[in-house]
Amino acid sequence: MGVLNQTVRLAAEDGGRSLDVELMVDIGTLFTMVPAPLLRELGVSPIDRFPLVLQDGRRVEYDMGRAIATVEGRSIHTLVLFGEKKDRPRLGTYTLDGLRLAVDPVRGKLVPATGFLVPATEFRALRVAAA
């Protein structure tokens, strides 16, 4: 499977402006990252800073805010990073999990995720066996 891109509608939490953004689906990235000017245009404000380690080992911090992400009719309030111009916009796993979507590598698209539930009695037995 090559690179998977997904159109995501982003909006500020107040439900004001929204826009469609093409994001690379990146299951190796925790948070969705969007260029800072786009987030500011939507009215998304930083609420925190998040530390990242870059591929070359450098440590940086990015502003983080809250937005509403919508993909194929599913919406979620999510955390987003304020990316720099050089950063490729990406859809991270925090947002994907919240949208209950998963990557289908065979078809190269996002599909509804299936959850798994282990009954509590089986979970206890697994913990005892592992101890």
Side-chain angles (χ1 to χ4, degrees):
M1 185 181 100
V3 174
L4 174 60
N5 292 307
Q6 179 66 49
T7 300
V8 178
R9 174 153 295 197
L10 290 174
E13 285 194 309
D14 66 8
R17 288 202 50 182
S18 68
L19 58 92
D20 291 340
V21 182
E22 187 80 10
L23 303 178
M24 176 183 70
V25 177
D26 187 349
I27 59 172
T29 297
L30 181 59
F31 294 113
T32 295
M33 181 182 290
V34 179
L38 291 178
L39 291 175
R40 289 191 182 97
E41 182 182 327
L42 289 173
V44 177
S45 300
I47 58 165
D48 203 353
R49 304 263 304 155
F50 185 73
L52 294 167
V53 178
L54 301 178
Q55 190 173 5
D56 64 9
R58 287 182 297 133
R59 295 178 181 274
V60 296
E61 282 194 357
Y62 280 72
D63 285 333
M64 176 184 280
R66 291 189 186 107
I68 300 170
T70 302
V71 175
E72 298 177 6
R74 295 172 182 241
S75 295
I76 186 75
H77 289 252
T78 191
L79 296 170
V80 292
L81 297 179
F82 286 67
E84 297 178 6
K85 284 185 180 182
K86 65 179 173 23
D87 297 322
R88 185 163 183 185
R90 56 195 67 219
L91 178 60
T93 58
Y94 183 88
T95 304
L96 279 174
D97 288 348
L99 290 166
R100 301 163 325 280
L101 293 171
V103 174
D104 179 338
V106 175
R107 294 186 287 175
K109 65 182 216 171
L110 295 179
V111 296
T114 301
F116 297 95
L117 179 64
V118 177
T121 54
E122 291 180 35
F123 180 71
R124 277 190 241 116
L126 292 173
R127 287 188 59 184
V128 171

